[in-house]
Amino acid sequence: PDSYRLVEDMSQVCFQAPHLIYFIALGLPMLVFYVAGFPMYLLRLLLKYRDDMPARWAYRADTMTADERFRSERHSMSIHLIYDGYRPFYYCFELVVMLRKIFVMAISVFVRNSEAQAQLIILLVVFCIMIQNNLNPFEGSLSNKFEFAALFTSFCTFFFGSLLFFSPEPIKIFASLVVILANVIFFVAAVYIIIRTVIKEFRQELKNTPKQDTARPKKGIFHRFAFYISNMT
């Protein structure tokens, strides 16, 4: 073709004003500083402070001075949300999750055929399921099961969603029901497990709290709900 045009507005010619202005002012900075730059910056921080993570210096905590321990804890807190929950060897695994999301968005943007998009994303999700099943990068078995269930739900969504492009009407209805059912089951199961875990830990905390402090426990049940919901999100 002589020129590329926006799918949403065929009157707009790509890489000509005003599209070129938006591309230079917004597209390139977002691509360089956010899509590529942010993961690279996080990788730099993880590699720089990897020895300050508690899981890595816990074995030598008795030999550390108070100043060394304070400095390690201060450094590790700046990247706590990036490595927390992963096993020590897989402290960079959050970047793998970021790359998965980047690839999904790249396929959605640069692959123009809807059927090809669905097939490539299905292949990507299957590859991620294989990685998750073989590595189990999270510390707790429940977190690994959650991640596997989330990836399997994504697989069902994309696989049965791809049937909507070329299937007869009965198959489309069946595929739609499967997609809805898979996501509802995952959401309900996640909420149930979170509530059960919060209540269990809250009861355990009340049991271990001295009698004179039972009236005002350190962390309320609503605080724990917020903590687990934020982790799930």
Side-chain angles (χ1 to χ4, degrees):
D2 296 333
S3 62
Y4 290 98
R5 296 178 180 269
L6 291 178
V7 175
E8 299 297 332
D9 186 0
M10 299 300 289
S11 65
Q12 296 291 331
V13 181
C14 295
F15 305 111
Q16 294 184 14
H19 176 267
L20 184 61
I21 297 175
Y22 285 105
F23 175 75
I24 295 175
L26 294 176
L28 282 180
M30 288 293 291
L31 184 64
V32 173
F33 294 108
Y34 186 71
V35 177
F38 186 63
M40 293 178 64
Y41 175 70
L42 291 181
L43 177 61
R44 177 181 176 274
L45 290 179
L46 287 170
L47 294 177
K48 181 179 180 180
Y49 297 124
R50 62 183 181 274
D51 292 330
D52 294 321
M53 298 177 187
R56 288 178 168 267
W57 56 256
Y59 68 93
R60 55 185 177 89
D62 295 336
T63 61
M64 297 173 64
T65 64
D67 183 65
E68 290 175 340
R69 183 164 183 164
F70 172 77
R71 187 166 56 250
S72 295
E73 290 177 346
R74 184 184 62 184
H75 289 163
S76 64
M77 284 302 297
S78 63
I79 54 173
H80 177 77
L81 293 177
I82 307 301
Y83 70 82
D84 185 44
Y86 294 105
R87 291 193 287 170
F89 186 76
Y90 300 111
Y91 65 93
C92 288
F93 198 82
E94 185 66 25
L95 298 180
V96 177
V97 178
M98 291 184 181
L99 286 177
R100 182 183 75 205
K101 298 175 181 178
I102 291 173
F103 280 126
V104 169
M105 294 305 301
I107 292 172
S108 302
V109 172
F110 296 109
V111 179
R112 302 163 68 182
N113 185 276
S114 299
E115 295 181 19
Q117 285 182 2
Q119 297 301 321
L120 288 174
I121 292 178
I122 289 172
L123 181 64
L124 175 64
V125 173
V126 170
F127 181 69
C128 293
I129 290 176
M130 293 172 61
I131 293 177
Q132 172 64 32
N133 190 48
N134 283 277
L135 298 183
N136 290 319
F138 293 94
E139 287 183 343
S141 60
L142 181 60
S143 298
N144 285 306
K145 293 177 181 178
F146 253 110
E147 183 68 9
F148 182 85
L151 289 172
F152 184 75
T153 303
S154 298
F155 171 79
C156 292
T157 301
F158 290 119
F159 178 79
F160 288 98
S162 65
L163 299 179
L164 300 177
F165 294 114
F166 53 83
S167 300
E169 194 64 24
I171 301 299
K172 289 182 179 180
I173 296 175
F174 172 76
S176 301
L177 292 176
V178 171
V179 169
I180 295 173
L181 186 62
N183 285 271
V184 169
I185 290 176
F186 173 76
F187 180 78
V188 172
V191 171
Y192 168 75
I193 293 174
I194 289 174
I195 293 175
R196 187 183 66 177
T197 304
V198 169
I199 294 175
K200 180 180 179 181
E201 291 191 357
F202 187 73
R203 288 177 176 174
Q204 186 67 32
E205 183 175 339
L206 288 178
K207 182 179 179 181
N208 296 333
T209 303
K211 292 184 178 180
Q212 61 270 22
D213 296 333
T214 54
R216 299 182 63 183
K218 293 182 180 179
K219 292 183 179 180
I221 193 169
F222 293 107
H223 180 276
R224 292 194 175 275
F225 273 125
F227 173 76
Y228 280 98
I229 291 174
S230 63
N231 281 349
M232 183 185 70
T233 305

